[in-house]
Amino acid sequence: MAGTGLASFASRRNTGGTTVAAGGLVPFNTAGVQYGTAITFSPAAPTTTFLINEPGYYRVSFDIYTGTLSLLSSVAANFSGTAVPQPSTSVFSLALAGGVLSGNLLFQAVTAGSLTVSVSGLTLTLSGTGTNAQITIEKLD
């Protein structure tokens, strides 16, 4: 029955400082929670790619805690399948080095595909302490 809540969800996070060059993918090396089969990912760490296995409406949210050397970096969620709107049209830019880069978006996956968070601009340095990136992907029902 449509409209009853979440059909599927997955979350992951990253710990330990790392840098991601422009064109690279943000890593998520620590398991979070997962429910359902619409969203899967490789169990190998670090995960950079999430599989969207079913058409439907999805919400993606992420927070990336940056180091002080991350000025002029941007990220975008990229989807390899057909989507409306295509998530990569939403680019999230870092306003302050050493700050949090956050993104939230909704899209309709018309076909199955893979979802990644890629870096553009200059190299992105993730904070060296604690959790420095987290992502939550939800299939809405």
Side-chain angles (χ1 to χ4, degrees):
M1 176 151 103
T4 59
L6 295 176
S8 186
F9 57 83
S11 70
R12 289 195 56 101
R13 61 189 177 95
N14 193 75
T15 59
T18 190
T19 58
V20 183
L25 302 177
V26 175
F28 300 96
N29 64 10
T30 304
V33 295
Q34 183 177 6
Y35 172 77
T37 59
I39 306 156
T40 57
F41 47 85
S42 169
T47 294
T48 57
T49 304
F50 298 85
L51 301 177
I52 304 298
N53 300 312
E54 301 172 7
Y57 293 91
Y58 289 83
R59 176 177 31 217
V60 178
S61 61
F62 57 83
D63 295 303
I64 300 169
Y65 300 88
T66 66
T68 56
L69 301 176
S70 291
L71 195 58
L72 303 177
S73 296
S74 299
V75 297
N78 297 292
F79 182 65
S80 68
T82 303
V84 180
Q86 187 64 19
S88 61
T89 60
S90 297
V91 177
F92 301 91
S93 298
L94 185 60
L96 179 65
V100 180
L101 201 163
S102 295
N104 292 286
L105 56 107
L106 293 167
F107 70 97
Q108 178 186 8
V110 179
T111 63
S114 59
L115 181 81
T116 59
V117 178
S118 64
V119 174
S120 59
L122 299 179
T123 296
L124 181 68
T125 302
L126 279 62
S127 172
T129 58
T131 296
N132 54 33
Q134 71 83 29
I135 188 168
T136 302
I137 306 166
E138 301 165 310
K139 181 175 190 251
L140 307 174
D141 187 20

